[in-house]
Amino acid sequence: MDPKVDSICRSALQLAYTNFGKVVTKYPSETYLFAEYIEIIHAINGYEHAMDSLKVYLQSGHQFNIFLDGCRASMLAESGKYDESIKLAHDLEKKIICQLLP
């Protein structure tokens, strides 16, 4: 990647990290905003930091939603935990089907 483009991308991600960090602190029940924040953490620091942040979020009383389940399944696969990732993906599939069917 062009060094200038790389620098611009890193700056944009850092700004998003800072801004989303403020937003999710102010509005902790906005799970979809938190899911975007997790994606930014993942992009900047890797899956370990993103999984740690997700764990803290859930331990503070928040619940998973479908998007967070998808993020978690993807990060589990990235970490080499394929069996756990596949199980979570199958559970996610069931949740989605249940939401789509009357």
Side-chain angles (χ1 to χ4, degrees):
M1 180 183 288
D2 181 307
K4 186 174 180 179
V5 172
D6 187 48
S7 176
I8 291 169
C9 288
R10 279 187 277 117
S11 294
L13 282 170
Q14 190 59 51
L15 179 60
Y17 175 79
T18 299
N19 289 340
F20 268 93
K22 291 175 184 176
V23 170
V24 299
T25 300
K26 187 171 183 176
Y27 303 102
S29 63
E30 295 293 333
T31 307
Y32 287 100
L33 292 175
F34 184 78
E36 294 300 328
Y37 184 53
I38 287 295
E39 289 291 336
I40 294 164
I41 293 170
H42 183 231
I44 294 172
N45 297 314
Y47 70 86
E48 296 101 345
H49 287 93
M51 290 289 278
D52 288 345
S53 295
L54 182 55
K55 182 179 178 181
V56 168
Y57 184 75
L58 295 171
Q59 287 176 340
S60 65
H62 298 91
Q63 296 183 3
F64 269 115
N65 67 11
I66 289 173
F67 192 74
L68 288 177
D69 279 347
C71 291
R72 185 166 174 251
S74 177
M75 290 186 290
L76 285 167
E78 186 177 342
S79 70
K81 298 178 180 175
Y82 302 114
D83 291 339
E84 194 175 345
S85 175
I86 290 170
K87 181 187 179 321
L88 184 57
H90 286 300
D91 292 345
L92 178 59
E93 177 185 33
K94 290 174 191 172
K95 288 178 188 176
I96 292 171
I97 290 171
C98 286
Q99 286 187 355
L100 294 175
L101 297 177

